[in-house]
Amino acid sequence: MAQTLYDKLWDAHLVEERDDGTALIYIDRHLLHEVTSPQAFEGLTLASRDLWRRSANLAVPDHNVSTLKSEREAGLEALPDAVSRVQLQTLDDNCESFDVVEIPLNDVRQGIVHVMGPEQGAVLPGMTVVCGDSHTSTHGAAGALAQGIGTSEVEHVMATQCLIQRKMKNFRVEVTGRLAGGATAKDIALAVIGEIGTAGGTGFALEFTGTAICELTMEGRMTLCNMAIEAGARCGLVAVDEVTLDYFRDKPLAPKGAQWDAAEAWWRTLHSDEGAVFDRSITLDGDAIAPHVTWGTSPEMVTSVHGRVPTLAEMPDETARLGLSRALEYMGLEEGMAIAEIKPDAVFIGSCTNSRIEDLRAAARVLEGRKVAPSIRKALVVPGSGLVKAQAEAEGLDRIFIEAGMEWREPGCSMCLAMNADRLLPGERCASTSNRNFEGRQGSGGRTHLVSPAMAAAAAVAGHFVPLEATGYTVEAG
Amino acid sequence: MKPFTVHSGLVAPMDRANVDTDLMIPKQFLKSIKRSGFGPNLFDELRYLDEGQPDADNSSRPLNPDFPLNLPRYQGASILLARENFGCGSSREHAAWAMEDFGFRAVIAPSFADIFRSNALKNGILPIVLPADQVDTLFAAIRVEEGYALTIDLEACTIFLPDGSLWSFELDAFRRECLLKGLDDIGITLERTDAIQAFEEQHRERFPWLFEDIVL
Ligand code: SF4
């Protein structure tokens, strides 16, 4: 029978299924970070349990780390925030006592867990991947079944190498045509969420297909799958093709020689079969996707950069009107105003959505030879990993950012969730390349507008949201 | 985990869609390495007028007088009534820990985000999905009737309303069993050790590269 990509990955990892449909799924890779693992390690210790398979686990600190060079160089002991310091130290201690491989804070390979994983080849096509972080969906770009889990599940995977789950349904999101007008994978993600809503993917595995998806690089596919969770789906997927194979071929932890050949043979089967049945499908016209900007406090509150904030009169019912007025009040916006009238005070380029080398290149292309508008009070560029940072510096991108008036930081989650010192002040408005515009996400009272790196850079230069062309930048096709 | 059999409790409203886990427990509290003590910071930004800090004394902070959970009539509530897509966003189990620590045993909503739902079930909190019109009925009822309480019977999967009506809801058999008995998932799965080992052996033969040690 014709199978979907998700069906194939599920079958290859199914240990057993109970009569009521709950199943045990075998987990190949478990990524850990400091925030969601301490209570799981503690649980193991209290129950005198050990890791089922030590070599499945790989840890890295990312959420709490300082992104200031001076603080990083001074080491963990000197981190001013004592509560963060304890959490980071606890990760080191747990990895040591459970003999888990950890990439330490000042290692060049350290970075946001979802940037580091594929970069090291710690995540590979065909794997089941979990991490105590909802954006684990990112790794579905590799044709892997990758899902975010809670801390109890982290402990469960540590102790049993399995996850208890029911099979999800299949949802195909087809994007036809070719991206144009400066639109990127981020804009596809935002357009899909705008279309199906933040709960549209709940209970589904979301597979992205179509010419516009095939043409995306691995990094673009990661950006797209990263935000599957914002569409409500625990995992996003893209089929394996030449782009995937080329990306993983020389990754440090990728199989070599005959092992690679065997792996490649299996990976080449990782696509939905002709005639496979999806429970739900939608098709978007890739040519018609413009760069997007969120205006509200949920990623589904989004429109094109050429668009306007909706009006109360346009809302279908009372709940929607209430939701809109609450969002407008929090965001300090007027109904019906043009997106181009919105003026950020801050710009953040980073996060597991958009902190890879291509993201930094895209932002740098817009910023080259230009200056950040004087009205922008804070502008951070935070590379996703030490390797991304080194690559960007080798290409001179850091100079472009610094000369434009932006701060060039050390890798970490940073202002995506503001667990460290990088955060918005109450009322501050940010053009952000991250993934969540929830109330208080980037700092208590902070206001977030989600955009692509190029759009964030364009807003930095103009002082308000603008289509790329308006900054004098020539948009290349695709 | 506390078993959940029959629970009667006061219902409190959370009348907005897409309540996200950032709203339930803001990031600064995620720095804790403990599982407990998050209750005073549940819905921190809505509940208090100032910004909360981990390890701070919450008892002296100014409360937001308009937030339902601060109203005298909802004190002691153990059932939260919510809207669509409750618990969306981050996987932080701290959100479920905060709900549990606050005293909630059940949440009723038209839909839940997947990860929160699973986190709740693992912490003895019952997420009940009801059709939107029934949820509307409950919102209307608690608005007019002070002290509005429900009785939830998990064995029967029913909710008993003060007006005498009995509604039913669904939960898969495995999860129901775990909650009823307060069973720990890990213990249950480890009973299947032989099956996991057998699977692992054939998986290793088929995909040997997955079993290499990580050498950095
Ligand atoms: S960058 Fe943001 S979304 Fe990604 S893992 Fe870090 S905190 Fe989570």
Side-chain angles (χ1 to χ4, degrees):
Chain A
M1 210 182 88
Q3 287 190 302
T4 65
L5 170 55
Y6 172 66
D7 295 340
K8 292 179 185 180
L9 292 168
W10 173 269
D11 283 356
H13 294 87
L14 180 63
V15 176
E16 58 183 15
E17 196 166 350
R18 295 187 178 92
D19 293 343
D20 70 349
T22 52
L24 282 182
I25 291 296
Y26 187 83
I27 300 304
D28 296 320
R29 177 68 70 224
H30 180 207
L31 302 172
L32 297 95
H33 62 86
E34 76 275 23
V35 179
T36 53
S37 65
Q39 296 86 352
F41 279 116
E42 189 194 14
L44 286 187
T45 308
L46 288 174
S48 311
R49 288 178 174 135
D50 199 2
L51 298 172
W52 177 282
R53 181 163 65 82
R54 191 190 63 85
S55 69
N57 301 280
L58 175 61
V60 68
D62 59 359
H63 282 63
N64 271 286
V65 302
S66 167
T67 60
L68 286 172
K69 196 167 187 151
S70 56
E71 289 188 357
R72 287 288 271 267
E73 282 171 348
L76 192 51
E77 312 73 51
L79 191 69
D81 182 339
V83 193
S84 292
R85 196 165 64 227
V86 169
Q87 196 167 57
L88 289 160
Q89 186 62 51
T90 304
L91 180 69
D92 292 354
D93 296 348
N94 282 326
C95 287
E96 184 160 338
S97 38
F98 283 85
D99 200 18
V100 167
V101 178
E102 181 192 8
I103 299 180
L105 186 59
N106 285 332
D107 191 294
V108 71
R109 294 162 297 190
Q110 179 271 342
I112 304 170
V113 63
H114 310 308
V115 175
M116 176 283 290
E119 203 170 66
Q120 291 304 314
V123 167
L124 294 168
M127 273 184 173
T128 41
V129 181
V130 293
C131 172
D133 189 286
S134 59
H135 289 100
T136 309
S137 60
T138 308
H139 311 286
L145 177 52
Q147 310 173 69
I149 56 177
T151 297
S152 293
E153 288 175 316
V154 167
E155 187 182 336
H156 188 272
V157 169
M158 285 171 162
T160 70
Q161 213 53 49
C162 291
L163 201 58
I164 302 177
Q165 263 200 326
R166 295 172 79 85
K167 195 172 176 197
M168 297 181 268
K169 287 182 281 184
N170 285 289
F171 190 153
R172 176 172 50 200
V173 177
E174 185 188 21
V175 187
T176 58
R178 308 189 65 173
L179 292 180
T184 64
K186 179 68 162 280
D187 304 298
I188 300 181
L190 291 171
V192 170
I193 295 161
E195 181 79 19
I196 68 173
T198 49
T202 307
F204 290 96
L206 223 57
E207 183 179 345
F208 299 98
T209 69
T211 46
I213 307 298
C214 293
E215 286 190 6
L216 291 177
T217 60
M218 270 308 290
E219 302 204 339
R221 295 174 189 186
M222 289 186 222
T223 300
L224 181 59
C225 290
N226 174 276
M227 291 193 74
I229 185 69
E230 272 67 51
R234 218 164 168 175
C235 72
L237 288 164
V238 176
V240 173
D241 62 8
E242 294 306 325
V243 174
T244 324
L245 297 172
D246 287 346
Y247 176 89
F248 284 103
R249 208 171 306 268
D250 55 357
K251 293 292 177 271
L253 297 172
K256 306 281 178 313
Q259 291 251 9
W260 170 274
D261 297 339
E264 183 179 330
W266 142 248
W267 296 345
R268 283 190 182 278
T269 68
L270 296 177
H271 51 77
S272 289
D273 295 330
E274 191 81 38
V277 180
F278 288 83
D279 302 281
R280 191 179 167 195
S281 293
I282 59 163
T283 301
L284 267 64
D285 176 5
D287 299 275
I289 296 176
H292 275 54
V293 181
T294 64
W295 49 263
T297 52
S298 162
E300 69 189 22
M301 294 174 162
V302 66
T303 187
S304 126
V305 64
H306 310 286
R308 293 181 168 275
V309 174
T311 59
L312 290 165
E314 287 162 12
M315 293 297 105
D317 55 41
E318 190 50 34
T319 311
R321 264 189 297 278
L322 211 74
L324 175 59
S325 54
R326 185 183 284 134
L328 293 182
E329 192 190 328
Y330 183 86
M331 294 298 290
L333 299 175
E334 300 297 325
E335 58 171 328
M337 74 189 283
I339 295 297
E341 288 174 61
I342 301 174
K343 300 188 180 75
D345 314 297
V347 175
F348 171 62
I349 297 174
S351 90
C352 58
T353 316
N354 281 129
S355 63
R356 297 177 182 82
I357 190 68
E358 286 173 15
D359 301 315
L360 302 190
R361 285 180 191 142
R365 270 201 298 273
V366 177
L367 285 160
E368 187 158 20
R370 298 197 171 86
K371 292 276 181 226
V372 169
S375 56
I376 306 282
R377 286 179 287 195
K378 200 181 285 178
L380 300 188
V381 188
V382 186
S385 72
L387 288 171
V388 171
K389 179 167 188 264
Q391 178 67 30
E393 288 173 353
E395 295 177 19
L397 306 185
D398 57 325
R399 299 305 326 155
I400 296 176
F401 292 125
I402 292 165
E403 276 159 26
M406 301 187 83
E407 293 181 56
W408 178 242
R409 295 292 189 93
E410 299 299 305
C413 292
S414 179
M415 215 205 275
C416 172
L417 95 162
M419 264 186 92
N420 68 357
D422 310 338
R423 65 182 72 149
L424 298 177
L425 298 174
E428 259 183 346
R429 184 184 300 290
C430 183
S432 178
T433 67
S434 55
N435 44 49
R436 286 186 177 142
N437 52 352
F438 298 154
E439 290 182 21
R441 171 76 180 185
Q442 295 193 284
S444 182
R447 295 160 169 165
T448 302
H449 297 273
L450 303 175
V451 286
S452 73
M455 290 298 293
V461 172
H464 56 93
F465 290 108
V466 278
L468 287 184
E469 309 84 273
T471 60
Y473 175 85
T474 17
V475 178
E476 298 155 31
Chain B
M1 184 168 92
K2 246 192 263 174
F4 189 117
T5 49
V6 177
H7 176 79
S8 299
L10 190 67
V11 186
M14 186 67 201
D15 195 2
R16 55 156 98 189
N18 299 316
V19 168
D20 59 75
T21 53
D22 281 72
L23 202 62
M24 293 169 77
I25 184 88
K27 63 250 162 200
Q28 62 270 34
F29 304 107
L30 271 49
K31 295 180 186 181
S32 167
I33 57 169
K34 299 198 216 82
R35 240 176 219 271
S36 54
F38 295 102
N41 302 110
L42 176 69
F43 296 118
D44 198 272
E45 289 187 6
L46 300 176
R47 215 161 131 196
Y48 302 96
L49 295 171
D50 63 349
E51 197 185 335
Q53 292 306 331
D55 296 342
D57 175 15
N58 295 295
S59 61
S60 54
R61 295 174 57 198
L63 291 171
N64 172 2
D66 299 329
F67 185 58
L69 293 185
N70 289 336
L71 302 179
R73 61 186 290 187
Y74 298 123
Q75 294 315 300
S78 59
I79 301 171
L80 189 68
L81 182 64
R83 297 284 184 189
E84 298 81 36
N85 202 25
F86 185 82
C88 62
S90 146
S91 69
R92 58 186 74 165
E93 196 160 319
H94 312 67
W97 296 333
M99 291 281 289
E100 201 259 350
D101 197 47
F102 184 90
F104 283 118
R105 295 299 322 269
V107 190
I108 299 175
S111 60
F112 291 88
D114 283 335
I115 306 181
F116 174 77
R117 183 177 174 277
S118 138
N119 286 341
L121 286 164
K122 288 178 162 64
N123 288 280
I125 299 170
L126 176 62
I128 299 178
V129 177
L130 288 182
D133 57 333
Q134 289 188 338
V135 171
D136 284 340
T137 305
L138 292 178
F139 268 109
I142 55 173
R143 225 164 270 139
V144 292
E145 193 180 324
E146 213 163 309
Y148 192 86
L150 296 170
T151 299
I152 300 163
D153 181 345
L154 182 59
E155 181 81 59
C157 283
T158 53
I159 305 174
F160 186 68
L161 277 67
D163 68 1
S165 42
L166 199 64
W167 291 353
S168 54
F169 62 91
E170 282 175 25
L171 185 68
D172 63 68
F174 175 71
R175 280 293 151 219
R176 193 166 61 112
E177 184 78 3
C178 290
L179 265 183
L180 281 170
K181 298 189 177 149
L183 294 177
D184 150 35
D185 274 10
I186 300 179
I188 300 174
T189 303
L190 285 175
E191 284 172 16
R192 305 302 303 149
T193 294
D194 290 352
I196 302 169
Q197 277 170 346
F199 176 88
E200 191 169 53
E201 212 160 295
Q202 62 91 15
H203 200 60
R204 188 193 300 264
E205 243 162 66
R206 196 171 165 206
F207 310 118
W209 61 88
L210 297 177
F211 293 81
E212 299 280 329
D213 272 337
I214 297 176
V215 183
L216 290 171

